[in-house]
Amino acid sequence: MFICSTVTPVAQAASSASETSDANGEPVQAAVFTNRWGRLFSGNKDKFSSALSFSSGLKEQRLTIPNGSESARQKKKVNQLLNLSLQYSPYSYWFGNVTLRAPVSDFSRYSTNFRYSFGYDDWHPNTFSLVYSNYGDNYLFTSGTTRHTYFEQGAFTFAYKFSLPESWQKHLLINKGDALTCQIGYSWVPRYYSLADNDLRANKQVGLGGCGYTFKQHFFIRATAFWYPKSEQQQPWNGDYSYSFGYAGYTPGSLSVQYSNYSGTRFPGRGSSNAKFREGTISLIWFLPF
């Protein structure tokens, strides 16, 4: 699923201005984000931006497919989605983002859903961000008494982005113009589903920290680790870490391609993992030229 694919690599000061740099010589960030943690690394300076993307899993999985106002069926298939992302930034680094998602097969109005986020996110190093994000299955067309969205089940995330000391970077960066940026953060979810209790519980807390490396301003690799102060709040689908890599374009009309894996990962000695490489997602993203 296209839950946690990041659209842009981490960016830092570039060596010189170019078509991918602003007046201060800093890389222009790609426009749209579709995952819970992507904004913790990078943001966008444009007032309006959009992207069309295709995402595909690498193996079949059993999915529940709504096919009516009060009905659904189970089917085993490769989950493939078309996604339209829209973002508006009215002032400074304040933003609102929504992604509309539709399955490539078994399409109906009941099988479409959306995800959204908003808040403040300055993508430069040594800055803070505060973002609300809801990546549950929010439906445009609901069945029965189901709500369109469950706001209280979204996450409020406070994070700090920073660059490593120059004395470290000179040993870690491969090329001039490469970038290495890290972040630490804290996420709070007012209400969450607990599998063990088969019910909703309150006040889920998650600590996070990670780094991302940008190679020649376009190729990137990134990893984030998660810590649950109350271990019982971590669900089987909540990973110990997430990672992604790929190639990202910056300008409108450019293409990006990436692999991401986020769900159910476990550190060695922490139980069996259900997030092997084939559990990840490949995404192709086109930043619309308007």
Side-chain angles (χ1 to χ4, degrees), residues 6-112:
T6 44
V7 174
T8 60
V10 178
Q12 205 174 327
S15 58
S16 61
S18 68
E19 65 173 356
T20 60
S21 301
D22 63 18
N24 298 318
E26 295 184 355
V28 175
Q29 296 298 284
V32 181
F33 299 85
T34 56
N35 78 94
R36 188 184 299 276
W37 313 113
R39 294 206 63 96
L40 300 179
F41 281 110
S42 47
N44 178 257
K45 70 172 189 174
D46 295 330
K47 279 199 169 185
F48 179 79
S49 50
S50 58
L52 184 65
S53 60
F54 166 79
S55 61
S56 176
L58 301 179
K59 60 178 291 187
E60 289 187 336
Q61 55 183 299
R62 186 165 295 279
L63 303 172
T64 300
I65 304 170
N67 55 9
S69 61
E70 297 183 4
S71 61
R73 64 190 178 96
Q74 292 280 322
K75 184 177 181 180
K76 191 173 184 180
K77 68 172 187 175
V78 176
N79 193 25
Q80 296 181 327
L81 298 170
L82 287 177
N83 313 274
L84 174 63
S85 298
L86 306 170
Q87 180 170 288
Y88 179 61
S89 301
Y91 176 75
S92 182
Y93 295 100
W94 294 93
F95 76 96
N97 177 286
V98 63
T99 296
L100 306 174
R101 312 186 329 143
V104 174
S105 60
D106 301 297
F107 172 81
S108 75
R109 64 177 183 171
Y110 298 104
S111 63
T112 60

Side-chain angles (χ1 to χ4, degrees), residues 7-251:
V7 174
T8 60
V10 178
Q12 205 174 327
S15 58
S16 61
S18 68
E19 65 173 356
T20 60
S21 301
D22 63 18
N24 298 318
E26 295 184 355
V28 175
Q29 296 298 284
V32 181
F33 299 85
T34 56
N35 78 94
R36 188 184 299 276
W37 313 113
R39 294 206 63 96
L40 300 179
F41 281 110
S42 47
N44 178 257
K45 70 172 189 174
D46 295 330
K47 279 199 169 185
F48 179 79
S49 50
S50 58
L52 184 65
S53 60
F54 166 79
S55 61
S56 176
L58 301 179
K59 60 178 291 187
E60 289 187 336
Q61 55 183 299
R62 186 165 295 279
L63 303 172
T64 300
I65 304 170
N67 55 9
S69 61
E70 297 183 4
S71 61
R73 64 190 178 96
Q74 292 280 322
K75 184 177 181 180
K76 191 173 184 180
K77 68 172 187 175
V78 176
N79 193 25
Q80 296 181 327
L81 298 170
L82 287 177
N83 313 274
L84 174 63
S85 298
L86 306 170
Q87 180 170 288
Y88 179 61
S89 301
Y91 176 75
S92 182
Y93 295 100
W94 294 93
F95 76 96
N97 177 286
V98 63
T99 296
L100 306 174
R101 312 186 329 143
V104 174
S105 60
D106 301 297
F107 172 81
S108 75
R109 64 177 183 171
Y110 298 104
S111 63
T112 60
N113 57 59
F114 65 96
R115 291 170 175 174
Y116 61 99
S117 61
F118 59 85
Y120 179 87
D121 182 28
D122 183 345
W123 51 269
H124 297 85
N126 307 314
T127 61
F128 292 94
S129 64
L130 179 60
V131 173
Y132 169 86
S133 56
N134 194 313
Y135 290 89
D137 290 330
N138 308 291
Y139 287 97
L140 296 171
F141 300 94
T142 61
S143 60
T145 59
T146 304
R147 287 152 50 185
H148 292 286
T149 184
Y150 291 82
F151 187 85
E152 68 279 9
Q153 295 181 35
F156 295 87
T157 303
F158 179 74
Y160 176 68
K161 291 178 284 291
F162 59 94
S163 54
L164 298 178
E166 290 287 342
S167 58
W168 293 21
Q169 291 199 39
K170 66 180 181 181
H171 298 295
L172 296 173
L173 299 183
I174 301 173
N175 303 291
K176 185 177 181 179
D178 287 0
L180 177 62
T181 301
C182 298
Q183 52 88 11
I184 55 174
Y186 166 84
S187 188
W188 172 64
V189 181
R191 301 282 289 176
Y192 71 97
Y193 176 76
S194 169
L195 182 64
D197 301 314
N198 192 27
D199 200 358
L200 292 178
R201 290 292 179 259
N203 299 321
K204 185 174 185 176
Q205 302 175 64
V206 186
L208 55 97
C211 293
Y213 188 97
T214 305
F215 177 74
K216 291 189 176 296
Q217 298 190 17
H218 288 286
F219 297 95
F220 70 93
I221 183 170
R222 135 173 354 119
T224 299
F226 305 102
W227 172 61
Y228 296 81
K230 298 180 179 180
S231 58
E232 67 272 14
Q233 293 185 337
Q234 184 179 15
Q235 303 305 308
W237 52 85
N238 295 147
D240 287 354
Y241 61 92
S242 66
Y243 63 98
S244 61
F245 58 86
Y247 174 90
Y250 293 100
T251 56

